[in-house]
Amino acid sequence: MNRLLGVVLGCLWALPALAGDRLIARVHPAWSPYARGPAVGAEALVEEARGLLAEDPARVAAVLGGAPVPAGPAARVVQGLRADALYRVGGDQLRQAQRGYRDLAAARPGPEEAAWLAFMEGTIHQGLGFVAEAETAYQAAAAGPPGPWSAALTFNRGVLALESGRHAEAQGRFAGWLAAYPAEPGRALVLALLGECEAGLGNRPAALQRFTESRALQPAAVLVRPAAAHALAGAWRQEGRVAEAAELLEALADARPGTPEGAQARLEVGVAWEAAREPGRTARAYARLLDEGAPSAEADEARLRLALLGVTHGATLQLTEPFPAYRVLYRPKPTLEEFAGGRDPLAAQRALRGLSGLARAEGDAPGALALLTRAFRTFPESPESGRAYEEFMGLLEGYLAERLGAGAPGDVIAVYETFRGSIGWAATRDTGAAALRAAEAYEALGAPRLARRVYEDLAARGTRQVTPEELDARTIRARAGEGDPGALRRWASRPEADWKARRSLARSLARGGAGTEARAQYQEAVRAAPGAAEALTVLTEAGALGAGQATEGDLLGGLEARRQLWSELPAGAERDAWGAHGRVVEGRLRIASGDWAGAARAYGSAAGLEAADAYLLALAEARGGRPAVARELLAAVAAAGDATFSPLAALHLEVAALRVQAGRP
């Protein structure tokens, strides 16, 4: 038992008092200063304890704790052996071992013994998770003379630094260990930990090199510390070696079945395949984890991820493995609704985003927007809120643009007004695209005042969607739509204004009594009109307002221009409608100018005429010397039931009958 067996690195000492394993390099009991040298007065007891210390430390502790020991040097050896035994028993005995080592340290031991006691104090603190206390004790051990524990001391200090996130310090200690102890066992593990340090420092090539060296010596060494395995898997994923990363994580999960570490590794397999856009392999990993009965935290995450995967791929994936958990993939809505109503805000937000995706797939964009609004407004402090808000704004802007392009401005306004309070949730977000679509929809619906308010608000907040000059032009256009004379004039003078702007300005001028200027603007509108139908519209309006020409004669002269435009219209319903309208306009104008015969020719027949124009045609026929035709027309108007012209027609017929009776036809 006096032979030194070396540092046993790569073994995880599971202390019963701890919640989980800790990576600690153990020194063989034979290296203890109390397991060597004479023990005068207690030789037999000490020799038996030394022989059993490695195999049965609990028995050693019990025997030494109850045996009478002579005073003197033997008492110190027995006390040290008992502390060593309690340390190796672990669990509840660690505190007793710690007290034993402290009692020995208080008795002014020699330098080598003091260094050993400091090292053991450090390992106990490290095993219990007291990092600062362990580092203080290790510093004291390192200040003493080197001993058989020096390799373990260097290793443990490296582990402490690594677990505390001090990767540069840990890197130096592990590199020093490799240089100082080339013949010690555990080299594969130290190389794996060194690879983890390099990965933590962002040195991926160096990390992969160290991991490769470790696996060449012992492939399973990288699995001793889960963080090292995850670091190697992460480096492989960055290199595009997803299959190797997944295989390593599967091995880690297989090595730790039923533990949170094993479940986390299995979960990361799915995450790796998900990032690689392999939905089938992703689904298999999550389903396998769930069907294995993973711990609740990992199971919840896997269920949520599997449901979210079902939102995007459930309709297309054809998976045949007998995993009952696939029901979550193919019916994600119940699972997502469960998480959306849960207490975990991040999970709830992710679930709401998934439900929003289902709503979009069903064509319910407003419903999807409502779910996203709930996601970022219910949990405003969550980092997931920003993603939900950006998704909301992207969907909103796309929907508004699509509905406006489809000629449905009412849909645009309905959605915009519903979610108006949520659009500005992030003060730094440019919401100009949505506001512009809403303003355009207001204009399309004939509500320029509401459009102007949106434009003015947008100008006050600022946007990169349009230039300030264009926004000013839109505001002028909206004001012009409200009938503001100044805005009408400004808008009609702008190069982007169309014939409608000229027409609106002319209409405003005509109604305001500025006939000369109105006629000029109507003429400009006719010249700018893109086609005959538009030009006819302008001319007809000008005539109706008396703004196109000054007298009935001028108006009649303008009919030639209308006839020319009418002849340019293609055959069809529009041409027929304009033809009927044209004969009515000409008939009325000729009657107004006293040309009754011309009016009768313009009207042609009563077919399609309203009661007013049929009555005027009857008068024209009577004045033109065709009383019989006039009577027929008047009789038809009288029978039409028109409130105004039917009584007039009946009166004319009665007067005509009286004139006949009086001999004055």
Side-chain angles (χ1 to χ4, degrees), residues 84-111:
D84 288 343
L86 291 169
Y87 169 78
R88 293 195 65 80
V89 172
D92 295 337
Q93 306 301 309
L94 280 177
R95 292 295 188 185
Q96 294 187 47
Q98 189 177 45
R99 285 193 291 270
Y101 288 132
R102 287 177 176 176
D103 290 343
L104 290 166
R108 296 184 180 181

Side-chain angles (χ1 to χ4, degrees), residues 482-524:
E482 293 179 71
D484 183 327
L488 278 166
R489 191 178 299 278
R490 290 179 64 191
W491 177 243
S493 66
R494 296 185 66 91
E496 66 267 34
D498 59 7
W499 65 280
K500 295 179 182 178
R502 298 283 187 181
R503 172 191 170 193
S504 297
L505 176 59
R507 182 190 305 136
S508 176
L509 292 168
R511 288 171 176 170
T516 301
E517 192 175 359
R519 285 193 294 274
Q521 291 297 332
Y522 271 126
Q523 289 168 4
E524 290 293 331

Side-chain angles (χ1 to χ4, degrees), residues 549-600:
Q549 290 81 23
T551 67
E552 289 85 354
D554 291 336
L555 291 172
L556 285 168
L559 286 173
E560 290 303 320
R562 298 187 205 188
R563 287 197 183 96
Q564 178 60 36
L565 291 170
W566 176 79
S567 68
E568 296 174 9
L569 291 174
E574 185 179 26
R575 192 172 192 274
D576 294 341
W578 275 113
H581 182 71
R583 71 186 182 114
V584 168
V585 170
E586 183 177 355
R588 291 180 180 182
L589 288 174
R590 291 195 180 280
I591 289 174
S593 65
D595 182 7
W596 293 94

Side-chain angles (χ1 to χ4, degrees), residues 6-88:
V7 179
V8 183
L9 293 175
C11 296
L12 287 177
W13 183 22
L15 302 178
L18 301 179
D21 295 342
R22 295 189 184 278
L23 190 60
I24 301 175
R26 296 191 297 177
V27 177
H28 194 277
W31 280 358
S32 168
Y34 311 112
R36 293 176 281 130
V40 179
E43 292 87 348
L45 178 65
V46 169
E47 185 64 26
E48 181 182 5
R50 288 171 176 171
L52 293 174
L53 186 58
E55 291 79 13
D56 195 354
R59 180 182 174 190
V60 172
V63 170
L64 295 183
V69 181
R76 187 172 186 83
V77 172
V78 171
Q79 184 180 4
L81 282 173
R82 184 169 184 271
D84 288 343
L86 291 169
Y87 169 78
R88 293 195 65 80

Side-chain angles (χ1 to χ4, degrees), residues 279 283 306-307 309-311 313-315 317 319 325-332:
L306 192 57
L309 189 70
V311 173
H313 297 286
L317 281 179
L319 302 175
Y326 278 159
R327 65 181 179 276
V328 177
L329 175 75
Y330 291 119
R331 293 184 63 250

